[in-house]
């Protein structure tokens, strides 16, 4: 039986994530450039991992904390005729049998880690799991008070009706489904991400402002990072 807070979201995850499509070509492009195993953290229902596997025909391992998500990913991969290696696990405890050429964490999933220690542990495990020259790519929103003000409160017209509540004192937002269940995300600044990259011994390859690889600037509202392990 699933005991994670993500179980209520697993039922509606595909509807929840349906509007996000622009990240898929970005991550698939990185996967095409990889010269070895590919790993996706927080694979969810396979929204990004399945296209990566289909387009590259390489081994793709997906790691997910919520069993119900993992079961849906298996079903989706089978329906797409794609083989995914899927594993139940916590990204903070990443341990691979073979070093990866590319590790990804799409859809702002690193923001589910609540503390600096959790994120540092994850980045250190990622660095240890990459081959020299391997890449780590992820995205996360840039916190914007105006956007937060617009999103605060109930959203009954969404594909999945929900309520958002921001807690600035903790850099946290809570998402509560009308059908029940709450998850939280903890936002981070550019310098916090740079600190994590540094302590893990990685190097910044690129920081984009969106998945079309536009430059990151003062108007950007999304961090799209690519870091590399030296070697």
């Amino acid at each position: 039986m699933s005991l994670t807070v993500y179980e209520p979201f697993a039922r509606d995850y595909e509807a929840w994530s349906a509007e996000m499509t622009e990240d898929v070509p970005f991550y698939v492009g990185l996967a095409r450039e990889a010269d070895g195993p590919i790993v996706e953290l927080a694979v969810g229902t396979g929204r990004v991992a399945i296209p990566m596997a289909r387009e590259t025909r390489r081994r793709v391992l997906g790691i997910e904390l919520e069993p119900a998500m993992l079961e849906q990913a298996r079903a989706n991969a089978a329906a797409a005729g794609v083989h995914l290696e899927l594993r139940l696990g916590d990204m903070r405890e990443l341990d691979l049998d073979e070093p990866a050429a590319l590790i990804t964490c799409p859809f702002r999933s690193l923001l589910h880690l609540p503390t600096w220690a959790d994120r540092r542990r994850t980045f250190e495990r990622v660095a240890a799991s990459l081959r020299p020259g391997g890449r780590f790519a992820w995205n996360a929103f840039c916190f914007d008070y105006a956007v937060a003000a617009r999103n605060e409160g109930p959203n009954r017209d969404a594909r999945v009706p929900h309520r958002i509540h921001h807690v600035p004192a903790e850099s946290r937002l809570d998402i509560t489904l009308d059908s029940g269940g709450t998850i939280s995300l903890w936002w981070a600044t550019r310098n916090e991400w740079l600190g994590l990259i540094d302590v893990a011994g990685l190097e910044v390859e690129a920081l984009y402002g969106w998945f079309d690889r536009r430059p990151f600037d003062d108007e950007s509202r999304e961090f799209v990072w690519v870091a590399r392990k030296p070697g």
Side-chain angles (χ1 to χ4, degrees):
M1 176 182 294
S2 168
L3 297 176
T4 82
V5 298
Y6 303 104
E7 183 179 17
F9 283 77
R11 296 189 296 269
D12 296 312
Y13 182 78
E14 298 203 303
W16 180 272
S17 62
E19 293 182 359
M20 175 50 74
T21 59
E22 294 180 66
D23 60 342
V24 175
F26 174 78
Y27 287 109
V28 168
L30 292 177
R32 287 196 182 106
E33 296 169 1
D35 60 355
I38 299 165
V39 177
E40 183 177 322
L41 307 178
V43 70
T45 61
R47 182 184 63 86
V48 177
I50 289 171
M52 286 200 299
R54 182 178 58 237
E55 297 298 323
T56 66
R57 299 186 181 276
R58 289 195 178 93
R59 176 191 174 201
V60 176
L61 167 64
I63 296 174
E64 173 58 49
L65 188 64
E66 169 51 51
M69 295 272 200
L70 214 57
E71 287 306 309
Q72 187 61 52
R74 288 193 179 95
N76 290 347
V82 168
H83 173 70
L84 281 183
E85 183 179 344
L86 295 168
R87 182 185 301 174
L88 186 68
D90 188 324
M91 67 176 78
R92 292 168 291 193
E93 303 301 330
L94 180 64
D95 185 19
L96 303 180
D97 299 329
E98 180 182 1
L102 173 67
I103 298 176
T104 67
C105 193
F107 208 43
R108 304 169 172 172
S109 295
L110 285 172
L111 300 185
H112 292 289
L113 298 173
T115 70
W116 168 266
D118 289 320
R119 293 179 185 178
R120 176 173 180 168
R121 173 67 176 170
T122 300
F123 271 67
E124 289 173 340
R125 293 310 310 150
V126 165
S129 300
L130 285 170
R131 59 175 57 178
R135 288 163 150 174
F136 179 35
W138 73 98
N139 65 282
F141 66 79
C142 308
F143 182 74
D144 182 315
Y145 286 97
V147 173
R150 291 197 299 270
N151 291 341
E152 181 75 15
N155 188 344
R156 300 267 158 39
D157 296 326
R159 289 173 182 260
V160 181
H162 63 278
R163 172 185 293 273
I164 291 179
H165 177 57
H166 295 81
V167 185
E170 296 189 12
S171 300
R172 189 186 85 231
L173 67 84
D174 300 327
I175 304 172
T176 301
L177 300 183
D178 286 10
S179 58
T182 299
I183 58 172
S184 298
L185 294 89
W186 288 262
W187 61 82
T189 66
R190 178 177 182 171
N191 281 338
E192 286 174 310
W193 292 120
L194 287 170
L196 289 163
I197 292 167
D198 182 61
V199 298
L202 300 173
E203 298 174 345
V204 176
E205 177 179 313
L207 170 58
Y208 303 111
W210 192 245
F211 300 107
D212 57 6
R213 303 194 182 211
R214 72 186 65 170
F216 187 89
D217 59 25
D218 289 349
E219 303 305 313
S220 298
R221 293 298 176 266
E222 191 77 16
F223 297 110
V224 181
W225 291 94
V226 182
R228 183 184 292 273
K229 183 173 182 175

